[in-house]
Amino acid sequence: MAKETILIVDDDIRNIEFLRDSLLIPSGYRALSAADGEAALDLALKEEPDLILLDLQMPKMDGFDVLEALHREGREIPTILITAHGSESVAIQAFRLGVRDYFPKPFKVTEIMGAVERSLAEVRLRREKQELTERVENINRQLEQKLKELTILYGVSKSVTSLLDPDKLLTRIVEATMYVTGAEEISLFLLDEETQELQLRAVQGVGEHEARPVRRSADNAVVRQVMSTGQVAMIQTARTRKTDPLQATLAVPLRARSGTIGVLHATNKMAMEPFSENDPYLLSVLADYAAIAIENARLFAEVEEQRTKLETILTGSEDLIIVTDDDGLVLLLNPAAANAFCLEKVEMVGKPLLEVASNEALDQLFRLPGTGNGVRNLEVPLVDGRTFYASLSPVTDVGWALIMRDITHLKELDRMKSDFVATITHDLRSPLTAIQGSLRLLPQLGQLNDEQADFAKRAMRNVEHMDDLISSLLDIGRIEAGLEMEMSAIHMDLVIEEAVSNLMGHAKSKGLVLRAIVLDDLPLVTGNHMRLTQVMTNLLDNAIRYTPQGGSVTVRATAEADHVTVSVIDTGVGIPAKAKARIFDKFYRVEGPQAEESPGMGLGLATVKSIVEKHGGQVWVQSKVEEGSTFCFTLPRLEASGQGA
Ligand code: ADP
């Protein structure tokens, strides 16, 4: 228990000694004493005892005078009055002056000690209450301060997301910094990206007017130090007297992903209070907000620039460009696309593309199975007579991108080429048949010598080769015209098996491994047996032809929800990237030693493409030079799989 101080006031030294030495000190109290009223008042004012034991009659100043004087000084010290001349009126006056207890002399020791204990217990209680009240008030003050800081930080954080003008936001941040720290001057410096110099971008406080115009460069050593180290700096000057003003500086870095991009700087030149422990934290939070705002503004400017570029490209493009979400609702499109469908942009955005465009081929494009990277391609004729080559690609987190290129002139050329080929082949056939007939008759006209027989044989081989070419061309013509294309349910596994066994001898003679890996229970497809065998033979023949000795050719067949995919994978010479786009064109052959070494007309893959597309499937190639090629094609599954055949 804390030692409480009790002042004994009595003009009789024996009373003082008795109370002090026999009662109070043995009970653990600290005792002071005064033998007259004046000395008592002095001691009471100076020492502020917890309790006064006060005699009434004393020379110079009596007990009441002491009480009144203390009252006047505003000191409410609990007092117990002890007097030899007690009366009812004395007691009344004493209680009026705030006396706790009143004892006529002679008193009983137990009574006095009881009264002392009671009074001090009250004093203790009162003191505890006061301490508690002070603590609560203190906590309240801290809470109010925190609330104020939070409100300001919240306000600034809202500005960070809503203000895109960085200058306005930086001004708001320095204002907020000044408010929460109470500093005299706040400045915010940013690194100029071009000159790599620190420039003052916002300022508040005493230096505000001299600092205009802002963007002054930073000549402050602390600011430069924070910029180079990226660490908070707090410097306070020592002062000799508590009443001297205090010079203090607090600077924190503005940190972005790229590193330190500026400094927030607070200074006090005439302050009486130093920066608080909390101030570096508050300043750092505000600096973070400033950094975020600047990053946002930069990103916004970049995005805006990209958007403008994209807009220009979209607007200027002659290709039709449409982006939809996963459900096919139009997100954006370019003017060429809106024109092609004879609609305004606003009539299409937000609507289902297939509904507003109303085009059968487009419907089919969205239903097609995707190639390796999910892209689907199809020719799409429009009502205005133009034909477009449409490419539909999935875009992660967006939906679909549809790009359509006008190929009307290519279609026309293709048609002209087909017409020309049809005419020419027809016209070439008759003279060739005549030459063939003449060559066959030649030996009957007389014995040919060896040299003549050799010439005639070579002429016959060339005529047969030309006949093959004409047959192939006529064949493509028939496929394109949809002739000889009766469809039925086909076991693709059997078609693959047949083609593989036909070419096994050829593969072995070239020292290649040829194998087929076919899914058990491969679903039936709708197709033409003869044409699908032709597809497999052409692809396998190429794979064997363009794979050097020691390599392998593998056929794989898998099933998806609505189609079967067949792949012919070789470890051969591969196809250069620039040739891939034209590989399925008629008469196209990759230039180089292989083309020269192997005979061919460049019609094999064109035939494959025509047949697969006539089946409603797609064909594509993936290849790497000197690693190999994979040709894949899809065929729609027979709807009621397992029936028919
Ligand atoms: P051809 O084989 O008669 O020249 P194709 O239409 O079958 O005609 O093939 C066109 C070209 O594609 C070939 O000349 C060849 O260069 C290339 N090619 C086809 N298949 C492969 C393959 N598996 N590996 C490498 N190149 C190939």
Side-chain angles (χ1 to χ4, degrees):
M1 192 182 75
K3 246 188 180 182
E4 277 130 343
T5 305
I6 301 174
L7 172 61
I8 312 159
V9 186
D10 203 315
D11 55 349
D12 185 341
I13 190 70
R14 281 166 309 162
N15 281 345
I16 289 181
E17 280 171 359
F18 171 70
L19 284 166
R20 184 182 63 204
D21 301 335
S22 307
L23 296 183
L24 300 180
I25 290 180
S27 298
Y29 298 113
R30 177 172 168 249
L32 304 172
S33 56
D36 61 60
E38 259 176 26
L41 186 59
D42 270 1
L43 258 180
L45 290 175
K46 208 158 82 200
E47 297 282 336
E48 296 209 1
D50 298 298
L51 180 67
I52 305 176
L53 297 179
L54 184 64
D55 188 15
L56 202 53
Q57 265 83 38
M58 285 180 297
K60 296 188 202 161
M61 225 179 158
D62 71 10
F64 283 138
D65 295 336
V66 174
L67 283 175
E68 271 163 9
L70 284 174
H71 199 68
R72 276 200 301 279
E73 290 290 329
R75 309 291 173 96
E76 300 297 335
I77 303 170
T79 305
I80 296 172
L81 206 64
I82 304 171
T83 178
H85 308 282
S87 70
E88 206 173 304
S89 64
V90 167
I92 290 168
Q93 195 185 350
F95 285 121
R96 244 185 229 138
L97 284 166
V99 165
R100 299 291 161 96
D101 255 315
Y102 171 88
F103 290 98
K105 286 182 187 167
F107 51 78
K108 280 194 189 142
V109 167
T110 48
E111 280 177 358
I112 278 284
M113 285 313 283
V116 165
E117 270 306 317
R118 268 199 310 281
S119 292
L120 287 177
E122 254 179 58
V123 167
R124 274 177 224 131
L125 261 178
R126 201 163 352 109
R127 202 171 281 156
E128 269 171 30
K129 191 177 144 208
Q130 200 177 338
E131 270 172 24
L132 268 177
T133 313
E134 273 169 18
R135 266 169 51 195
V136 169
E137 278 173 2
N138 208 4
I139 287 169
N140 264 346
R141 263 198 304 281
Q142 285 177 10
L143 278 178
E144 268 171 29
Q145 176 66 16
K146 284 268 171 271
L147 191 67
K148 195 171 91 179
E149 287 165 3
L150 274 178
T151 314
I152 287 169
L153 292 183
Y154 176 65
V156 175
S157 77
K158 271 205 334 204
S159 308
V160 170
T161 47
S162 61
L163 274 181
L164 281 171
D165 176 353
D167 281 329
K168 269 194 197 150
L169 196 112
L170 297 183
T171 308
R172 193 156 298 176
I173 282 172
V174 290
E175 280 167 8
T177 311
M178 170 159 274
Y179 194 63
V180 288
T181 57
E184 289 156 7
E185 185 181 326
I186 310 289
S187 17
L188 195 148
F189 296 87
L190 280 189
L191 191 68
D192 186 290
E193 272 181 2
E194 271 174 31
T195 61
Q196 285 297 302
E197 250 185 53
L198 263 184
Q199 293 200 323
L200 182 64
R201 291 290 297 273
V203 65
Q204 277 279 309
V206 285
E208 193 177 342
H209 301 293
E210 358 169 326
R212 304 266 175 221
V214 287
R215 288 184 188 262
R216 232 181 25 166
S217 41
D219 47 9
N220 182 310
V222 180
V223 171
R224 272 187 276 117
Q225 176 203 320
V226 172
M227 186 66 208
S228 62
T229 61
Q231 302 291 324
V232 175
M234 186 152 87
I235 299 165
Q236 326 239 30
T237 52
R239 53 182 172 187
T240 34
R241 279 172 303 166
K242 221 180 164 186
T243 46
D244 287 348
L246 186 106
Q247 298 206 353
T249 290
L250 173 57
V252 296
L254 264 62
R255 287 194 205 103
R257 253 175 303 170
S258 53
T260 307
I261 56 164
V263 177
L264 181 59
H265 178 239
T267 42
N268 276 329
K269 290 198 178 110
M270 300 298 293
M272 300 316 297
E273 289 292 323
F275 283 118
S276 79
E277 272 176 26
N278 202 26
D279 283 341
Y281 164 74
L282 279 175
L283 238 68
S284 296
V285 172
L286 287 162
D288 283 348
Y289 280 142
I292 292 169
I294 289 153
E295 282 277 282
N296 279 355
R298 264 184 213 158
L299 287 175
F300 182 75
E302 259 173 44
V303 169
E304 192 55 24
E305 193 187 315
Q306 295 290 343
R307 201 189 62 79
T308 319
K309 267 193 207 158
L310 198 65
E311 180 95 35
T312 317
I313 294 169
L314 283 181
T315 312
S317 169
E318 284 179 9
D319 290 346
L320 319 188
I321 302 167
I322 302 174
V323 178
T324 73
D325 66 8
D326 281 327
D327 300 324
L329 298 180
V330 177
L331 297 174
L332 72 89
L333 74 161
N334 66 344
N339 285 343
F341 293 104
C342 304
L343 290 166
E344 293 292 326
K345 257 166 102 172
V346 283
E347 289 177 283
M348 294 185 74
V349 174
K351 311 259 171 60
L353 173 66
L354 298 180
E355 255 174 51
V356 283
S358 164
N359 181 299
E360 211 177 295
L362 263 192
D363 284 7
Q364 201 193 338
L365 176 67
F366 272 85
R367 285 199 308 270
L368 278 183
T371 57
N373 48 9
V375 180
R376 291 115 220 258
N377 297 309
L378 196 68
E379 282 177 16
V380 176
L382 295 189
V383 277
D384 61 8
R386 288 184 294 166
T387 305
F388 284 78
Y389 183 72
S391 195
L392 180 68
S393 341
V395 184
T396 319
D397 295 335
V398 177
W400 296 98
L402 173 65
I403 298 172
M404 294 169 66
R405 171 155 291 181
D406 190 347
I407 53 159
T408 315
H409 61 294
L410 292 178
K411 290 296 287 182
E412 182 57 16
L413 276 179
D414 204 43
R415 195 190 55 73
M416 281 163 65
K417 194 159 81 180
S418 295
D419 286 355
F420 173 74
V421 168
T423 319
I424 222 94
T425 41
H426 197 262
D427 291 352
L428 278 177
R429 252 269 144 101
S430 324
L432 268 188
T433 318
I435 296 170
Q436 252 174 338
S438 305
L439 282 172
R440 273 197 201 102
L441 282 175
L442 209 56
Q444 294 172 21
L445 299 177
Q447 183 74 30
L448 301 180
N449 65 27
D450 287 352
E451 207 175 351
Q452 286 166 334
D454 187 43
F455 274 123
K457 212 166 148 193
R458 269 199 258 164
M460 191 62 161
R461 251 204 326 266
N462 279 318
V463 170
E464 277 165 6
H465 182 63
M466 276 182 81
D467 196 48
D468 280 352
L469 170 62
I470 290 166
S471 299
S472 300
L473 286 170
L474 287 172
D475 199 30
I476 286 203
R478 277 198 294 274
I479 294 166
E480 283 175 350
L483 301 173
E484 297 168 24
M485 196 65 88
E486 289 75 31
M487 299 287 188
S488 62
I490 300 287
H491 286 280
M492 204 49 208
D493 43 347
L494 297 183
V495 173
I496 292 169
E497 204 178 293
E498 190 185 325
V500 166
S501 78
N502 283 344
L503 284 153
M504 190 57 91
H506 183 25
K508 278 195 179 146
S509 70
K510 265 203 79 181
L512 302 179
V513 175
L514 172 61
R515 63 184 157 227
I517 304 170
V518 177
L519 178 84
D520 289 342
D521 304 326
L522 192 71
L524 292 173
V525 296
T526 323
N528 179 290
H529 188 277
M530 190 263 285
R531 293 296 181 198
L532 290 177
T533 307
Q534 199 178 354
V535 167
M536 283 311 303
T537 308
N538 283 8
L539 291 178
L540 282 173
D541 186 54
N542 276 349
I544 294 168
R545 201 153 11 131
Y546 298 108
T547 302
Q549 195 180 9
S552 70
V553 175
T554 310
V555 184
R556 228 175 247 285
T558 53
E560 263 89 358
D562 54 358
H563 63 275
V564 163
T565 306
V566 181
S567 317
V568 177
I569 307 148
D570 67 49
T571 58
V573 294
I575 297 159
K578 67 174 187 293
K580 274 191 215 158
R582 299 198 51 205
I583 202 92
F584 294 101
D585 285 359
K586 284 180 200 126
F587 302 112
Y588 182 80
R589 303 195 75 206
V590 178
E591 283 170 16
Q594 274 89 22
E596 281 153 30
E597 278 165 25
S598 66
M601 295 171 285
L603 284 174
L605 290 179
T607 311
V608 166
K609 184 168 190 271
S610 296
I611 296 175
V612 169
E613 288 182 354
K614 277 286 168 212
H615 278 76
Q618 280 194 293
V619 59
W620 68 93
V621 63
Q622 289 161 341
S623 181
K624 257 198 177 157
V625 172
E626 291 188 0
E627 284 186 19
S629 313
T630 299
F631 281 86
C632 303
F633 66 91
T634 58
L635 294 169
R637 281 172 62 162
L638 184 74
E639 274 179 359
S641 174
Q643 292 172 16

